[in-house]
Amino acid sequence: MPSLLHSGTRARTGAAVLLAGPLLSWLAELVTAAAWQDPPYAPLHNWISHLGTRGPEAPFGQVANSPLAWVMNTGWVAYGALLVVGVLTLVDLRSGWRGVALPVLAVLSGVGVATVGLVHGSQESIDNGQIVLHMLGAQTVIATGNIFAIVAGASAARLGLGGGYARTAITLGIIGLISFAIFMVDARGGIGWNLGMFERGAVYPIMVHHALLGSLLLHRRAEPRNGALPVLAPDRVEAA
């Protein structure tokens, strides 16, 4: 079965870049949330987007007062760029529809998360109408990022990865999409219960999947000379 991936140094570089994206974004989030002290940032309650709003103000009915908003916004833009570069470096576009679908989904996700960092979820954006771009970016990355995980999981064999990865990736994508649906009902219905928790339930599976896929591919054994796919975890070991 032909691989979806490029080989050698190019593949390892792409995997490392893919892994760096979520790690950098998580670091930016931790630093930014720690600096928000008036009132303290509440991950289960507060919107993720408000980490990128300097404030103090109250867009969408929640206080936004993030003194290091620029750190979070930089993290999102960097994540989007690293995701696009990583996947385009990894995946061979000549390898069939899956080899096209994964980069397309990655580009949509990358542009989406970068848009969230460039167009903030602030009262100013609401007033001037740019909030539409912010919301479109956020919803795009959530939808396409979780679909990417499902497609990648279904393509595990052609990525040279085992059944454990396939099940994990597909499960993450399903959890993300279900959480996204609950979040939209919670937000659009005016319920407002633990919005931050459901939003993270939609976003974090994407990030976990990117980190998992990048890590596994970075440490995958080198491809044999005959071009066959390497096996990360063989299903059985024959007795000697």
Side-chain angles (χ1 to χ4, degrees), residues 24-25 28-29 32 48-54 66-81 113-122 134:
L24 179 61
S25 183
E29 181 176 342
T32 306
I48 299 175
S49 295
H50 283 4
L51 287 168
T53 300
R54 181 69 176 84
S66 182
L68 292 183
W70 68 270
V71 174
M72 190 70 262
N73 291 322
T74 301
W76 283 326
V77 173
Y79 186 7
V113 70
T115 300
V116 170
L118 293 171
V119 182
H120 311 148
S122 62
H134 178 87

Side-chain angles (χ1 to χ4, degrees), residues 11-192:
R12 289 191 294 274
T13 300
V17 172
L18 179 61
L19 173 61
L23 298 183
L24 179 61
S25 183
W26 271 322
L27 177 61
E29 181 176 342
L30 287 172
V31 171
T32 306
W36 178 332
Q37 293 295 326
D38 186 23
Y41 184 77
L44 298 184
H45 172 70
N46 289 111
W47 296 78
I48 299 175
S49 295
H50 283 4
L51 287 168
T53 300
R54 181 69 176 84
E57 54 185 85
F60 299 109
Q62 286 189 6
V63 174
N65 187 17
S66 182
L68 292 183
W70 68 270
V71 174
M72 190 70 262
N73 291 322
T74 301
W76 283 326
V77 173
Y79 186 7
L82 291 170
L83 172 61
V84 172
V85 172
V87 173
L88 289 179
T89 303
L90 268 171
V91 178
D92 187 347
L93 294 172
R94 302 164 298 178
S95 56
W97 73 266
R98 296 172 194 263
V100 174
L102 289 173
V104 168
L105 290 167
V107 169
L108 290 172
S109 297
V111 171
V113 70
T115 300
V116 170
L118 293 171
V119 182
H120 311 148
S122 62
Q123 188 61 48
E124 180 183 1
S125 294
I126 295 173
D127 294 340
N128 63 25
Q130 291 185 5
I131 196 64
V132 173
L133 295 175
H134 178 87
M135 295 175 67
L136 181 61
Q139 293 172 17
T140 297
V141 66
I142 292 173
T144 59
N146 284 301
I147 293 172
F148 179 95
I150 293 171
V151 174
S155 307
R158 295 190 62 189
L159 295 173
L161 302 176
Y165 162 76
R167 291 186 291 273
T168 301
I170 293 171
T171 299
L172 285 169
I174 292 172
I175 290 173
L177 291 176
I178 292 174
S179 297
F180 183 34
I182 296 172
F183 167 74
M184 293 299 290
V185 171
D186 194 9
R188 294 295 179 88
I191 301 170

